[in-house]
Amino acid sequence: MQKILITGGLGQVGSYLVDALHEKAKITVLDNYSSTTREAVPPEVNVIKGDVKDRMAADLVNQNDVVIHTAAQISVTASMKDPLFDAQNNVFGTLNLLEAARRSSISKFIYISSAAVYGDPINVPITESHPQDPLSPYGASKLSGEKYCMMYNKAFGLPSCCIRPFNIYSPRQDPGNPYSGVISRFIEKARAGQSPVIFGDGTQTRDFISVHDIVDIIQLLLEKEDANGHVFNAGTGNSITVSELANMVLETFDVDVPVRYMPERPGDIKYSCSDISKARKILGFEPKVSLREGLMEFAE
Ligand code: UD2
């Protein structure tokens, strides 16, 4: 059985990955418990509490065949407050794993980057070759992690590849967390029979992708050797406005309240939508979960 190390395996992406893979492979989760608990994954899964920056993380890389590196400091706002903390996790943590991978016989190293690397898009849909001008330390640290992964592929032949997820959602995103995504926030309001709050005029667009489609694309990366040395957008290729999203959530939860408007959030980008032609072509990736179906999953 293949041995797979999933860093951040208790997190949003990591825990769904564990669900999808733990019967097919021998999974080890490395997680610092910063945002969740042991209960996020089944009891039979081997979970080690620790940090990707530690020496122990490097030892774990040596004991596995594959590394899926989802652990990260994930908040844009937190990165603005403390860029050093962000870089220690996202840059040094990633480099620590890569350096261990270089010295062992890793058959695949998968890195989860972010669409934040693009900054404010010049044109949409966004292809992978769009200029990368991050607007936050988080975007810069994710881009740096990506560049290291690609450099390790070119310079040392490490079989590494990366995805740049757009706006991921799932019922496991904690709505109480101020950094949670707009879908979780709108649903939390709808459940309480309260008005969703739209920042700005609601015409901003986002490409919302279900965590299940993210798990799918990661499984394709695992299977395809052609993926090595590449970075792929991970979105649906479709976007909707935040106003349309608010209406869809209210409809899904059968709640009849007016939306509330607040001033635009500073630093927010206006339009975002992925071009996923590259993932379609090289990986055969096809997103399967429509936004409506994804919202229904919260209702269940
Ligand atoms: C997403 C990612 C972020 C980074 C960024 C890159 C999430 C949670 N965050 O930020 O990590 O990758 O993309 O560009 O996926 N909004 C409301 N009302 C609310 C909450 C949000 O109107 O209660 C708006 C918000 O102003 C923004 C849009 O909804 O225009 C999406 O906000 P978000 O926080 O879900 O995600 P985003 O795109 O800022």
Side-chain angles (χ1 to χ4, degrees):
M1 233 183 192
Q2 204 172 38
K3 289 182 279 180
I4 304 181
L5 174 66
I6 303 181
T7 71
L10 303 181
Q12 181 179 222
V13 172
S15 64
Y16 280 97
L17 257 180
V18 171
D19 287 349
L21 297 175
H22 84 278
E23 280 169 6
K24 301 184 216 164
K26 188 174 179 308
I27 304 291
T28 300
V29 163
L30 172 66
D31 200 293
N32 66 4
Y33 290 52
S34 64
S35 63
T36 93
T37 60
R38 171 71 181 80
E39 285 67 48
V41 296
E44 66 271 22
V45 176
N46 181 25
V47 178
I48 291 167
K49 186 171 182 182
D51 203 284
V52 288
K53 304 189 290 288
D54 295 345
R55 171 66 207 260
M56 180 250 283
D59 294 340
L60 284 173
V61 169
N62 290 324
Q63 294 158 21
N64 282 276
D65 308 313
V66 168
V67 178
I68 309 178
H69 178 30
T70 81
Q73 188 302 107
I74 57 167
S75 161
V76 172
T77 314
S79 81
M80 298 291 235
K81 288 189 190 137
D82 195 346
L84 282 176
F85 177 77
D86 175 81
Q88 274 152 4
N89 283 279
N90 296 359
V91 182
F92 185 75
T94 302
L95 191 51
N96 189 35
L97 301 175
L98 283 168
E99 197 40 24
R102 170 160 86 108
R103 298 171 192 287
S104 57
S105 50
I106 287 294
S107 62
K108 185 77 84 176
F109 189 105
I110 298 175
Y111 176 69
I112 314 302
S113 178
S114 165
V117 302
Y118 295 117
D120 209 355
I122 298 166
N123 38 43
V124 286
I126 303 169
T127 62
E128 289 83 356
S129 55
H130 182 286
Q132 290 124 48
D133 289 313
L135 296 174
S136 62
Y138 170 77
S141 67
K142 280 286 171 179
L143 184 58
S144 169
E146 234 185 58
K147 293 288 181 198
Y148 272 113
C149 284
M150 292 300 98
M151 180 279 284
Y152 268 67
N153 175 265
K154 290 187 179 70
F156 307 124
L158 186 77
S160 54
C161 50
C162 310
I163 52 167
R164 292 176 182 156
F166 280 65
N167 290 59
I168 307 176
Y169 65 89
S170 80
R172 287 188 199 160
Q173 211 173 51
D174 169 16
N177 184 328
Y179 305 133
S180 271
V182 63
I183 292 188
S184 304
R185 312 266 286 197
F186 282 1
I187 289 177
E188 193 196 23
K189 290 283 186 193
R191 280 198 168 123
Q194 294 169 357
S195 297
V197 177
I198 293 181
F199 300 130
D201 65 4
T203 59
Q204 67 268 43
T205 60
R206 293 293 185 275
D207 182 345
F208 295 103
I209 178 161
S210 160
V211 77
H212 302 295
D213 285 323
I214 294 292
V215 167
D216 268 11
I217 194 169
I218 293 172
Q219 288 188 275
L220 289 167
L221 294 176
L222 279 173
E223 286 162 21
K224 310 261 178 188
E225 226 166 275
D226 289 359
N228 298 344
H230 287 283
V231 177
F232 299 93
N233 280 340
T236 65
N238 297 305
S239 64
I240 72 162
T241 67
V242 168
S243 287
E244 286 166 334
L245 173 71
N247 290 330
M248 212 190 256
V249 168
L250 292 175
E251 227 177 273
T252 308
F253 285 81
D254 200 17
V255 177
D256 189 15
V257 291
V259 295
R260 275 207 305 137
Y261 289 89
M262 300 259 286
E264 194 177 309
R265 247 176 17 185
D268 261 8
I269 60 169
K270 185 80 188 172
Y271 302 112
S272 175
C273 184
S274 65
D275 180 316
I276 53 169
S277 325
K278 182 175 174 185
R280 280 200 168 105
K281 189 165 166 236
I282 299 181
L283 306 174
F285 171 61
E286 203 50 61
K288 294 186 189 71
V289 186
S290 71
L291 186 51
R292 216 165 265 286
E293 287 165 342
L295 293 180
M296 286 306 296
E297 196 185 335
F298 284 81
E300 288 154 14

